Amino acid sequence: MRKSAEINRLENRRCKIFSLLGATSILAYSVPSFAQDTLPTNSDTNEITNSASEQNDGLKEIIVTAQRRTESLSRVPVSVAAFDGKDLQQRAITQTNQLQTLVPGVTMITTNSSNEFDYAIRGQTVQAYSGSVPSVVVYMNEVPLAPKGTTGGALYDLAGLEVLKGPQGTLFGRNNTGGSVLIKTVKPTNEFEGFFSVRAGSFDHLSAQAAVNVPLIDNVLSIRLAGSLQKEDGYLRNVLNKTTLGDIDHKSMRVSIAFTPTDKLSNLSVFQYDKARGTEGNPQIFSHYKVGQTNNGKPLTSLTESFTNGQQSIYADLAKRNPYELYLLYTGPHKSKNMFFQNTTTFEISDEIQIKNVFGIVNSNSIVSNQLNASPFIILADLDPSNCCEGLNYDQKNWSEELQIQGKTNDGKLSYLVGAFISSSKAINNWPFTFTGFSFYWRYSTIDYSKAIYSQATYDLSDMTGLSGLSVTAGGRYTWERLGANQLPGGINTNAGNVLVQRSNESAPSWQLGLQYQTSPSTLLYAVTRGSWRAGGYNNGGPGLNGLGNAFDKETTQDVEMGVKYDGRLGDRPFRASLAGFTQWNQGYQATLYNRDANGTPSSGAINVKAARVRGVELALDTKPFNWLQIGGSAAYNDAVFTNPLGTSGGGFIGSLTNFANTPKFSAAAFVSVDLPVSDTLGSMKIRVDTYSVTETPFSNFTKSVMPETTLPGYTRLDLRYEWNNVMKTGLNIAAFGQNVFNKQYWIGGFPLGFSQGTNTAIPSKPGSFGLELGYNF
């Protein structure tokens, strides 16, 4: 009876899509009747927005490939944020860990280091030291990147970037519960062209980017070389040894080769190598608990206070006075190497059918080391003082293979995609750890083999229903996962009685069903429901007693999203808007618990929470009230709760979570861009103002019980940019920029270790910074 009730409940959710579509229709007819239609173009030059043409008296048309076909963003019936390389440059976005200020509703989670981060979208997330696979998958040119991001990857020479929100799986790549980030590099063209740019600014910042495109055989073979260099001093200071924390020294190079032997066959190969050096941006004391302190009647851990005989309080007070100064025995080095290879072959069988194969290799090796109690006492640290200071070493080796068949019928009513995906992810973790003066190692390896088949199709219902522009989309996927963990020699979990080799198999479907109604060339209504999942696994920081002590289960999710998109005119001015509302349900939601095991040793890992619900609204607007003035912005509201907060783990934990972590209620971004009135002979000048705001953000799931004082305050920051392009018709570009110009001090991520040690840490934001930029296009 209980199972039948659950099935009925899920079916009722799916049925809501039809009533939601009707509600969305009301929004469509509220658009002013004097709005004029604007047909988007579907050019395909470098896929996203090197092809962005000027339309609507200056509003760029954004071309995306979110649905594996080239189409205007305003005609994609799901929530997508998209940007071209120019957009990223104007916002001074040079690394992937800066994306939070670009896309409201996306949270970049930084915990134990400024160099380690994860994504959260619509409450779907993963945190440091968790055995979970990511809820948000990042792709470069359709190849999934390494699951564990440990360095903010350089963003340069990009065709564009897309952020897809909601469960994914029926169109490409891996299945996931939160969304996808699609990074697309510029493809080689048949023109000799290129650019270079140099930036200098605060904290001795110096960076350079360049690219050159060389056609070798006309319309057959071309090559593009691109590179990026970045150096910057850290903005955190270690008072004890007079060093800076968070130093950046990144180098990256990319080679892209396009080969088109016939008009039916094309091949693209991309090789990229990244090397990062510097120092770790160690987290600062955010809050700590004193001996005897309680919260809502629950005793709090006070290990750091008692172990230091009260001296931890001194450093907590110093942190409040100046969060940019830390008192540490060591300054941890940061090291990272990443290799990316992609080979994509496309064959046009006919005008209606295309075969595409995408093969990728992504290898990553990184070292992260930090003192997690953020004071001169090595109470909790992912380093071994006797072998200082190389810490946690991630060595990841990944490959993926994907075959797609895309097509449409002769009458154009049915478009379809059928695909198969397989990937392998292997990682070796060598993790030194020190706890209250005792050092040991966690040494283990993990494997994740994933294979899937999927299909999605869209059928035009215009003739069938008499409603021109009405279509239905349905998609399905089935994924098989093979998971494994091995405890390695020299690790603490190789003690007698622990299971050294663990294996498990999981499988589940993903699906999508939607209706979209193009009521006019400028207005799209849509409603969609989706379901997906992410695999369970093993928390390898804990022992595998009887094969169960560190296991956690898979997570499943379903959502309903409805929206309206408009791209036309408001009066006689260009106007673009999108509005989406969604509700997402999770069963077995994977949260991260930072605890101590039965022996008192700190441990961490994923646990399963019975049920959760996230609902929200997302809005985006863009207009040009005058030819010289553009105004735009976007906002996201999330209401996330655990409808059944009981959390369990294979290690025996049973308890209730009190709130979602890393999911702010509200976030928004807005911009104003002004074209200055100057003579054409001088070039063009522009001033741009960007602002980003977010409300308070808990970074623990237990803020109302055993981990209070784990909520980051909300903040607002302002960025400015002046640019003078094509100076005196020379091709030279000059810009001046400021980020966080009012020097607002806020926090960019927290680490909830209060339950383990009695101290919670967080990473302060970068102070206000300013710089100059010089570029040249040829």
Side-chain angles (χ1 to χ4, degrees), residues 128-131 148 392-395 426-432 441-447 484-494 499-500 502 538-542 550 604-605:
Y129 305 141
S130 168
K148 196 68 177 176
L392 172 56
N393 178 218
Y394 297 106
D395 187 12
K426 297 182 179 180
I428 297 176
N429 296 267
N430 188 29
W431 185 358
Y441 280 74
W442 281 304
R443 289 190 172 104
Y444 57 88
S445 64
T446 60
I447 59 172
N486 303 288
Q487 298 297 332
L488 302 178
I492 191 173
N493 287 330
T494 56
V499 177
L500 303 184
Q502 297 173 283
Y538 305 101
N539 295 312
N540 291 283
N550 59 3
S604 64

Side-chain angles (χ1 to χ4, degrees), residues 223 386 497 505 562 730:
I223 185 171
S386 66
N505 295 304
M562 57 174 286
T730 62

Side-chain angles (χ1 to χ4, degrees), residues 519-754:
T519 63
S520 71
S522 58
T523 305
L524 171 70
L525 309 177
Y526 71 88
V528 61
T529 179
R530 296 167 291 193
S532 196
W533 67 291
R534 61 170 163 166
Y538 305 101
N539 295 312
N540 291 283
L545 296 172
N546 302 318
L548 298 174
N550 59 3
F552 59 94
D553 294 329
K554 66 184 176 186
E555 173 187 346
T556 58
T557 189
Q558 311 82 35
D559 83 336
V560 173
E561 179 182 321
M562 57 174 286
V564 56
K565 295 186 177 185
Y566 178 79
D567 189 357
R569 307 185 77 80
L570 187 61
D572 64 347
R573 302 308 304 167
F575 181 73
R576 180 184 297 143
S578 65
L579 175 66
F582 69 91
T583 299
Q584 184 166 348
W585 299 269
N586 297 79
Q587 303 82 40
Y589 180 91
Q590 292 175 13
T592 304
L593 174 68
Y594 303 97
N595 197 3
R596 280 194 281 170
D597 61 24
N599 298 320
T601 304
S603 64
S604 64
I607 63 174
N608 292 105
V609 187
K610 288 292 185 181
R613 186 267 299 148
V614 184
R615 61 188 175 196
V617 178
E618 296 160 351
L619 173 68
L621 301 170
D622 196 1
T623 186
K624 294 196 79 170
F626 306 98
N627 289 342
W628 51 268
L629 175 65
Q630 184 174 355
I631 302 173
S634 55
Y637 171 80
N638 288 294
D639 175 29
V641 297
F642 292 112
T643 52
N644 186 338
L646 183 64
T648 60
S649 73
F653 170 82
I654 300 177
S656 293
L657 285 68
T658 63
N659 57 275
F660 261 68
N662 303 305
T663 306
K665 283 275 189 183
F666 180 78
S667 57
F671 75 91
V672 176
S673 180
V674 179
D675 295 329
L676 300 179
V678 298
S679 169
D680 288 344
T681 59
L682 296 177
S684 63
M685 297 185 187
K686 178 180 295 187
I687 295 176
R688 182 183 175 103
V689 181
D690 283 273
T691 184
Y692 173 80
S693 296
V694 64
T695 55
E696 64 178 22
T697 306
F699 58 88
S700 163
N701 294 118
F702 300 89
T703 60
K704 298 177 182 177
S705 57
V706 294
M707 274 188 277
E709 303 172 36
T710 51
T711 299
L712 305 178
Y715 64 89
T716 298
R717 59 171 281 174
L718 186 75
D719 300 337
L720 298 175
R721 180 180 176 88
Y722 161 80
E723 59 183 47
W724 182 6
N725 294 316
N726 197 18
V727 177
M728 310 294 290
K729 301 296 184 178
T730 62
L732 191 67
N733 306 309
I734 300 173
F737 61 89
Q739 294 180 301
N740 190 16
V741 295
F742 293 123
N743 200 29
K744 175 70 175 178
Q745 194 276 307
Y746 55 93
W747 302 86
I748 59 174
F751 203 2
L753 295 176

Side-chain angles (χ1 to χ4, degrees), residues 275-342:
K275 181 179 180 180
R277 292 293 184 266
T279 57
E280 297 294 349
N282 202 95
Q284 175 65 282
I285 298 174
F286 183 79
S287 61
H288 85 294
Y289 310 139
K290 297 184 177 181
V291 176
Q293 187 174 342
T294 62
N295 184 53
N296 292 328
K298 296 183 180 297
L300 304 181
T301 302
S302 56
L303 174 65
T304 51
E305 185 76 358
S306 58
F307 185 83
T308 63
N309 294 318
Q311 294 185 67
Q312 184 78 356
S313 294
I314 297 174
Y315 294 98
D317 290 339
L318 290 172
K320 290 180 180 179
R321 295 176 191 175
N322 189 342
Y324 297 105
E325 291 187 346
L326 290 89
Y327 298 79
L328 307 175
L329 294 182
Y330 310 104
T331 294
H334 175 74
K335 300 178 181 179
S336 177
K337 294 180 181 179
N338 301 282
M339 188 278 288
F340 172 90
F341 175 74
Q342 165 222 345

Side-chain angles (χ1 to χ4, degrees), residues 174-251:
R174 288 201 60 130
N175 52 294
N176 66 67
T177 59
S180 300
V181 177
L182 312 181
I183 301 169
K184 297 185 180 293
T185 63
V186 176
K187 295 178 180 179
T189 66
N190 200 46
E191 301 290 334
F192 177 75
E193 59 183 357
F195 76 92
F196 74 83
S197 65
V198 179
R199 284 181 179 174
S202 305
F203 304 101
D204 287 335
H205 174 93
L206 183 63
S207 63
Q209 298 183 357
V212 60
N213 190 95
V214 181
L216 301 177
I217 302 175
D218 192 37
N219 292 317
V220 175
L221 182 64
S222 56
I223 185 171
R224 188 176 185 91
L225 306 176
S228 171
L229 302 173
Q230 184 175 355
K231 291 180 70 70
E232 184 175 294
D233 291 343
Y235 60 88
L236 301 174
R237 297 178 294 278
N238 188 349
V239 176
L240 294 188
N241 62 13
K242 296 180 173 56
T243 59
T244 52
L245 303 163
D247 295 352
I248 296 173
D249 184 2
H250 292 179
K251 302 177 179 67

Side-chain angles (χ1 to χ4, degrees), residues 50-62:
N50 274 11
S51 65
S53 58
E54 295 292 325
Q55 66 165 16
N56 287 345
D57 300 331
L59 285 185
K60 289 187 299 187
E61 181 192 20
I62 306 298

